[in-house]
Amino acid sequence: MPLTSDPPLQKSDEVATAPPATDYAQLTVVPVRHPWRWVAIAATVVLLAQFVHGLVTNAGWEWEVFAEFFTADVILKAVWTTLQLTFYGTALGFALGIVLAFMRLSQSRFLKTVAFGYIWAFRSIPLIVQLLFWFNLAYLYKELQFGIPFGPGFFSFDTMGLVGAMSAAVLGLALHQAAYAAEIVRGGVLAVDSGQLEAAAALGIPRLRQIRRIVLPQAMRSILPNAANEVISLFKGTSIVSVMAIGELFYQVQVIYGRNGRVVPLLMVATAWYILLTSALSVLQHYVERHFAKGTTP
């Protein structure tokens, strides 16, 4: 009897036989079927076809009126006013938002509190209330003086002449946008690994250059998608300044259909311009994101 637990050796005349090899070429491959997916596709195609058919055949859309006013001079001027409001609101809003973001990131408790208070206030108050407040600023302050604080003023401005409807709209949009831009920028900066700043500081790189050459290029990848959404929202949100009788796109459309009664085709004019310009902003966003994503995407 052997002293080990090893299995007995196989006799020389016993040959181990391997299982026969499987010929995979002879197997029939059956793709996975998704019947409900095809049902959903068919239902979607039918609904889209019905929608397009309704747009083409329903006389209530009055496409001839749409074609008449789509490129009318008054509409083109209103589109230009809308673009101006969007540009100035975005530029001033993000400029102030960057300052507020770095105030919140600073080591000063006072600056943090001021920035947090600003963001809290302007995100809490509805935009239409802010616009109407700035539009009626002359009711509270007849003139603005510049001079020694709590002392005599050296020169002053008439508030009524200084803050008109367009200025009040830009001011309200920019201050409102700054509150959201600050949080977007702060989130992008916090997404950058702090160890890179520590390494840059150890190499003696100045703080401003660290932010400009290390932090912001990386933070832009996180900032851009949210910032683009805010710009598009602001572009569509400019329609709210119609309460101030500013001739932007939606207000001008309201004026026209108030005169001729063609509500639906004029609303489609505004809709088409909003879709067209929003698509252009989306394309611009794609190329800007691709520029800042160099070296991170294949």
Side-chain angles (χ1 to χ4, degrees):
M1 182 178 179
L3 299 178
T4 63
S5 60
D6 295 336
L9 296 175
Q10 191 175 21
K11 295 181 179 180
S12 59
D13 58 345
E14 295 179 0
V15 179
T17 59
T22 304
D23 188 2
Y24 293 104
Q26 297 180 357
L27 297 179
T28 302
V29 179
V30 179
V32 179
R33 294 179 174 87
H34 302 279
W36 289 110
R37 179 187 299 175
W38 289 105
V39 171
I41 292 174
T44 305
V45 169
V46 171
L47 291 175
L48 288 175
Q50 287 182 321
F51 177 72
V52 174
H53 180 266
L55 287 178
V56 175
T57 60
N58 191 340
W61 291 105
E62 298 183 89
W63 293 111
E64 65 281 358
V65 179
F66 170 87
E68 177 186 355
F69 286 98
F70 183 72
T71 55
D73 290 340
V74 65
I75 295 296
L76 294 179
K77 291 180 181 177
V79 170
W80 174 242
T81 301
T82 300
L83 290 175
Q84 285 182 303
L85 289 170
T86 304
F87 174 77
Y88 292 128
T90 300
L92 296 176
F94 272 87
L96 179 57
I98 292 172
V99 175
L100 291 170
F102 283 100
M103 287 174 64
R104 287 209 64 185
L105 294 170
S106 70
Q107 300 299 321
S108 171
R109 191 178 298 272
F110 174 76
L111 293 179
K112 283 184 177 180
T113 303
V114 171
F116 176 80
Y118 178 96
I119 294 170
W120 167 78
F122 279 87
R123 289 200 303 183
S124 301
I125 303 173
L127 177 57
I128 189 171
V129 175
Q130 298 179 38
L131 291 173
L132 291 176
F133 171 79
W134 294 112
F135 187 60
N136 294 280
L137 184 64
Y139 175 79
L140 295 174
Y141 303 99
K142 303 299 181 183
E143 62 179 12
L144 296 177
Q145 289 188 351
F146 294 88
I148 301 175
F150 307 105
F154 300 135
F155 52 91
S156 61
F157 296 96
D158 181 21
T159 309
M160 183 66 72
L162 181 65
V163 183
M166 190 69 175
S167 302
V170 171
L171 187 61
L173 293 173
L175 294 178
H176 178 79
Q177 187 70 18
Y180 293 91
E183 291 298 278
I184 292 173
V185 174
R186 185 174 71 93
V189 172
L190 290 176
V192 180
D193 186 8
S194 59
Q196 299 188 39
L197 293 179
E198 295 175 0
L203 292 174
I205 299 176
R207 180 67 176 176
L208 184 60
R209 184 176 295 179
Q210 294 177 28
I211 295 173
R212 184 169 54 89
R213 301 299 298 272
I214 298 175
V215 175
L216 288 182
Q218 298 182 74
M220 288 297 289
R221 293 196 293 268
S222 300
I223 292 172
L224 278 175
N226 295 323
N229 287 337
E230 283 299 317
V231 173
I232 291 174
S233 297
L234 180 64
F235 168 68
K236 295 182 295 183
T238 54
S239 59
I240 202 171
V241 305
S242 60
V243 299
M244 303 164 64
I246 296 177
E248 51 81 43
L249 180 57
F250 185 67
Y251 175 81
Q252 205 60 54
V253 164
Q254 286 180 306
V255 171
I256 296 174
Y257 73 62
R259 294 174 180 172
N260 60 18
R262 299 293 192 270
V263 178
V264 173
L266 266 301
L267 288 178
M268 284 301 297
V269 168
T271 301
W273 273 111
Y274 282 125
I275 292 175
L276 180 63
L277 295 175
T278 300
S279 301
L281 290 174
S282 299
V283 172
L284 179 63
Q285 171 192 355
H286 168 73
Y287 284 104
V288 174
E289 285 185 2
R290 192 171 70 173
H291 170 75
F292 282 99
K294 289 180 179 179
T296 61
T297 56

